[in-house]
Structures are given as structure tokens and as C-alpha cells.
């Protein structure tokens, strides 16, 4: 009997039934806060079968038992990396960076003790375009950068994209919105279709793996002045969104700000924040001590 014929039954067993999908969806939601609608079924099934094949599991039951009871969480991380979508580019929704440099930071430094560091947190990091856009925008557009110490933190649940962010190699699509002067200043061209970001910028960002739905991950983030959390909450359901809003609220210092994606609204998620409308963008603020939202 040929090898191909012998392996056919194992491949045939690697299917995901309706009950399997429901079981996995509930498990993944508890672990990450990410909810898969029924219309994501093909996306989920394909990646589950890929992970069954990668681990040698004969069927979903064998794979899921191993996933639930593994000690180190390595397979869960592989699965998270496979299931998360990471699509971004430099200076995406750039009006919010303008708002940061024109208004938000200037307001923050007026209310902070002299000499205290500004802390900016970008989550999700994806492959690094957002935190590096923040760094470049500060260097090019915010006059206060010479007088104030700024710390940029960036996090993601996907370890593969964090590795890519720290490698800092980008395609023509990723850099398409960058001014040529920025591209020449902060990147080195490699071949026909790749640009490598300055190692100084890589060193300016502190990357870490964080699950925004896990309090054990988020409680170490405190006294943050500005959070960019854009196009992440669209993957959460209402309960997970409220939990994420509360986690960010706890991470912010009083008076700190949150920038969400253009299709996201904190007002529909949580009553904890004040809506602030600046010339360039609408953002959300944690009230100062004693102020009402």
C-alpha cells in the first residue's frame, strides 16, 4: 500500500464539525476575547486543520484535548498567531497622529509634573508600522520632543508579528504613504521591493506580548498618557470590548487619552471616558481626579 493511500484516512479525519467549531469558538473567546462569527467559519476551519497537521493530531478531538491541557501554552500561541489578522501600513489614519502632535501632547505636558516622562502605548503592534509612525511623527512634527522624554511601548498577542516588527523590513505597500524625506531619513532600501527601518527607531520602541483580555498581562501597564488602540475592538464582542475599555482605563493616568479606529466608538462601549473633540480628531479621555466623565 502506498504512503499516500495510508495517510488518506488521517487527512479525512481532520475536519471540523459544527459542534467542534462551537467548542473551539468558546474556548478561543475565553482565552483572547476575540469572537468569530459564523461567516468566519472557513477561515477558522482552515487554520485549525493546518494546526492539526502541524502537530500530528489525527482529528479535532485529539488536537483540542492537547490544546486545552498543554502546560506551556506553546500551541495556543501558534494558534493565536494563525488566527489573528495583521494588515496595516505607515501613517494609517494619519489625522490622529496630527492630533497627537498638535494638541494632545501639548495638553499632557501642561498637566504633568516637570521632567516626568510621557508614556505612549500602541496596541496592537502588528508588524510595527503604528509605533514607528508615532516615533517618526514625534521627531518630525512635535516641537516638544527636544524638551521631553517620551517612552513608546507597543504590544500584540501575536508573537510572529512582534518578531517582524523588530526586524523592521517593509514592503512598498507599507511605506506608500510616507513622505520621501522620511523614507530617505529613516529607511534603507534593500533590493527592489524592501525597505529596512533605522535600528535607532527599533531601539526607541519597547515591544511586548500582551493579551488585552488578560488582566495578568495588562496590570503591569500603568501611568500611560496616550493609548493607540485602533481596529482591534472590531474583533471583540460587547463584553470583551467593555473589558478592554476598563483595562485601558486602568492603564491610563488621570487625564490620559485613547485613540480608537475610525469605525470604533468608545461612547457605545463604556461610560468611563469623556469625548474630546480637537481640530484634527475626536478622541477619548480618562477624566482627571474628581471630574465626571
Amino acid at each position: 500500500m502506498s504512503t499516500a493511500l495510508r495517510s488518506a484516512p488521517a487527512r479525512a479525519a481532520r475536519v471540523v464539525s459544527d459542534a467542534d467549531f462551537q467548542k473551539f469558538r468558546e474556548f478561543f473567546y475565553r482565552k483572547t476575547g476575540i469572537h468569530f462569527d459564523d461567516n468566519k467559519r472557513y477561515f477558522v476551519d482552515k487554520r485549525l486543520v493546518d494546526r492539526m497537521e502541524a502537530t500530528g493530531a489525527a482529528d479535532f478531538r485529539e488536537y483540542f484535548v492537547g490544546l486545552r491541557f498543554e502546560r506551556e501554552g506553546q500551541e495556543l500561541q501558534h494558534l493565536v498567531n494563525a488566527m489573528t489578522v495583521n494588515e496595516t501600513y505607515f501613517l494609517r489614519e494619519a489625522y490622529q497622529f496630527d492630533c497627537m502632535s498638535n494638541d494632545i501632547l501639548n495638553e499632557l505636558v501642561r498637566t504633568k509634573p516637570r521632567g516626568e516622562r510621557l508614556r505612549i502605548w500602541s496596541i496592537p503592534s502588528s508588524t510595527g508600522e503604528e509605533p514607528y509612525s508615532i516615533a517618526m511623527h514625534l521627531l518630525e512634527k512635535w516641537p516638544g520632543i527636544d524638551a521631553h522624554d517620551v517612552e513608546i511601548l507597543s504590544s500584540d498577542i501575536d508573537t510572529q508579528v512582534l518578531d517582524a516588527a523588530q526586524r523592521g523590513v517593509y514592503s512598498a505597500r507599507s511605506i506608500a504613504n510616507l513622505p520621501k524625506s522620511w523614507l530617505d531619513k529613516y529607511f534603507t532600501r534593500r533590493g527592489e521591493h524592501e525597505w529596512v527601518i533605522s535600528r535607532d527607531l527599533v531601539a526607541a520602541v519597547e515591544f511586548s506580548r500582551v493579551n488585552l483580555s488578560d488582566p495578568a498581562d495588562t496590570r503591569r501597564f500603568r501611568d500611560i498618557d496616550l493609548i493607540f488602540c485602533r481596529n482591534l475592538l472590531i474583533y471583540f464582542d460587547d463584553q470583551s470590548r467593555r473589558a478592554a475599555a476598563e483595562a485601558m482605563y486602568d492603564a491610563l493616568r488621570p487625564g490620559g487619552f485613547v485613540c480608537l479606529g475610525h469605525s470604533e466608538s468608545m461612547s457605545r462601549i463604556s461610560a468611563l471616558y469623556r469625548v474630546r473633540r480637537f481640530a484634527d480628531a475626536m478622541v477619548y479621555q480618562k477624566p482627571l481626579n474628581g471630574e465626571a466623565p
Side-chain angles (χ1 to χ4, degrees), residues 97 100-101 105 118 120 131-146 150-152 182 186 226:
F97 299 129
M100 171 186 72
S101 297
L105 294 182
L118 282 163
I120 301 173
Y132 294 140
S133 292
I134 292 169
M136 288 185 287
H137 211 278
L138 292 175
L139 291 167
E140 296 295 324
K141 298 287 189 177
W142 188 47
I145 191 63
D146 293 328
V150 179
E151 180 181 23
I152 302 175
W182 294 24
Y186 297 109
L226 174 59

Side-chain angles (χ1 to χ4, degrees), residues 62-261:
E62 181 181 327
Y63 175 76
F64 193 61
V65 168
L67 180 67
R68 287 180 61 203
F69 293 104
E70 64 169 348
R71 287 188 175 184
E72 302 299 326
Q74 292 179 340
E75 178 53 28
L76 177 60
Q77 186 61 61
H78 286 307
L79 192 60
V80 166
N81 293 353
M83 292 289 178
T84 48
V85 178
N86 300 283
E87 183 177 348
T88 188
Y89 48 86
F90 287 97
L91 295 184
R92 185 177 186 177
E93 297 180 27
Y95 60 89
Q96 290 186 335
F97 299 129
D98 292 334
C99 185
M100 171 186 72
S101 297
N102 293 335
D103 293 295
I104 291 174
L105 294 182
N106 295 327
E107 179 170 321
L108 286 169
V109 297
R110 287 196 297 269
T111 61
K112 287 179 75 69
R114 185 175 180 83
E116 188 174 304
R117 175 179 294 179
L118 282 163
R119 307 186 77 210
I120 301 173
W121 186 20
S122 169
I123 182 170
S125 161
S126 188
T127 44
E129 286 91 337
E130 179 165 285
Y132 294 140
S133 292
I134 292 169
M136 288 185 287
H137 211 278
L138 292 175
L139 291 167
E140 296 295 324
K141 298 287 189 177
W142 188 47
I145 191 63
D146 293 328
H148 299 279
D149 188 14
V150 179
E151 180 181 23
I152 302 175
L153 311 171
S154 192
S155 308
D156 205 288
I157 196 172
D158 185 334
T159 55
Q160 289 181 334
V161 297
L162 289 169
D163 290 342
Q166 291 171 90
R167 287 194 299 273
V169 180
Y170 297 99
S171 67
R173 181 186 178 281
S174 289
I175 56 89
N177 286 352
L178 286 171
K180 185 178 184 304
S181 59
W182 294 24
L183 196 59
D184 293 342
K185 187 173 182 178
Y186 297 109
F187 292 80
T188 302
R189 188 162 186 166
R190 188 171 76 180
E192 287 295 313
H193 305 293
E194 291 184 336
W195 283 260
V196 183
I197 202 162
S198 159
R199 298 315 296 176
D200 288 340
L201 280 184
V202 176
V205 179
E206 181 181 328
F207 290 97
S208 62
R209 183 203 171 276
V210 169
N211 179 353
L212 191 56
S213 295
D214 187 346
D217 282 359
T218 58
R219 69 169 55 102
R220 69 180 186 268
F221 290 85
R222 292 295 182 265
D223 298 320
I224 304 296
D225 294 287
L226 174 59
I227 298 174
F228 283 87
C229 183
R230 307 192 300 176
N231 306 306
L232 173 63
L233 302 185
I234 56 176
Y235 299 104
F236 290 2
D237 69 355
D238 289 344
Q239 182 177 340
S240 295
R241 289 186 189 110
R242 284 193 297 272
E246 290 168 6
M248 289 188 283
Y249 184 89
D250 291 340
L252 286 169
R253 78 174 185 87
F257 294 88
V258 175
C259 293
L260 298 181

Side-chain angles (χ1 to χ4, degrees), residues 14 16 20-21 24-25 43-55 60 63-64 67 79 82-83:
R14 288 177 178 137
V16 182
D20 295 337
F21 176 73
F24 168 75
R25 177 164 66 178
F43 172 88
V44 171
D45 284 10
K46 183 178 186 304
R47 282 151 183 79
L48 277 173
V49 170
D50 287 345
R51 292 311 306 165
M52 288 183 227
E53 293 177 350
T55 57
F60 176 83
Y63 175 76
F64 193 61
L67 180 67
L79 192 60
M83 292 289 178

